[in-house]
Amino acid sequence: MTAIHQQQQHRPPSLVPLLVPLLAGGLVVLALGVYGRAHTPTGYAVGVAGFSAALPMKAWLTTGAFVLAIVQVVSALSMWGKLGITIPPAVHRWSGRLAFVLTIPVAFHCLYALGLQYDVPRVLAHSLLGCFFYGVFTAKMLALPKRDTPGWTLPVLGGLTFTALVGIWLTSAFWFFTAIGIKV
């Protein structure tokens, strides 16, 4: 084996394959933030479909996404061999898909009806976390099929996605349930 071939085998993975996913994720964050500030909030965006109002709908859908995000973490740990139990990869894929789908009406309502708000620190944190969540989720999904990324890519992007969703839940649903009460 030549010295050049040995160097190539021991070269750390390049960050170049992450450029497009990270750039796309950054653009999503920026686009959502700009839209949220530039758009004149309407106060109404989606029907509440069985809920008493928009806030309970958003709190419960976000809670559903939060619970599924916990399933995501547990199933990811299983897939990486960290739990000693085997959870089928389909559980990870479908819990992620369902969690994402649950966030769509919530995000649509937040952006269209309320916009990006910055007057109240909790609401500002919630707005920024929402934009960040969709950006890092985009980066994770675009990095997922790439086989030439560093080994830390998916755990870091997945961890950031989970952390953002936990922050979103804490600044919205948890706040709602503790400040307003448990309502449907």
Side-chain angles (χ1 to χ4, degrees), residues 13-75:
S14 171
L15 296 178
V16 172
L18 288 177
L19 290 179
V20 169
L22 292 176
L23 180 61
L27 289 173
V28 167
V29 172
L30 185 63
L32 291 174
V34 167
Y35 176 80
R37 278 308 299 150
H39 169 71
T40 302
T42 63
Y44 179 80
V46 294
V48 294
F51 293 95
S52 59
L55 281 178
M57 177 214 45
K58 290 172 22 175
W60 285 107
L61 291 179
T62 302
T63 299
F66 172 67
V67 169
L68 289 167
I70 293 170
V71 173
Q72 283 277 285
V73 170
V74 172
S75 60

Side-chain angles (χ1 to χ4, degrees), residues 140-166:
K140 180 184 179 235
M141 291 298 103
L142 292 175
L144 189 61
K146 296 182 176 292
R147 300 289 176 230
D148 52 350
T149 58
W152 52 261
T153 301
L154 292 179
V156 167
L157 293 176
L160 288 171
T161 303
F162 176 76
T163 301
L165 189 56
V166 169

Side-chain angles (χ1 to χ4, degrees), residues 93-109:
R93 285 191 297 273
W94 281 100
S95 62
R97 289 171 181 156
L98 290 172
F100 182 78
V101 166
L102 289 178
T103 70
I104 298 296
V106 176
F108 181 75
H109 185 273

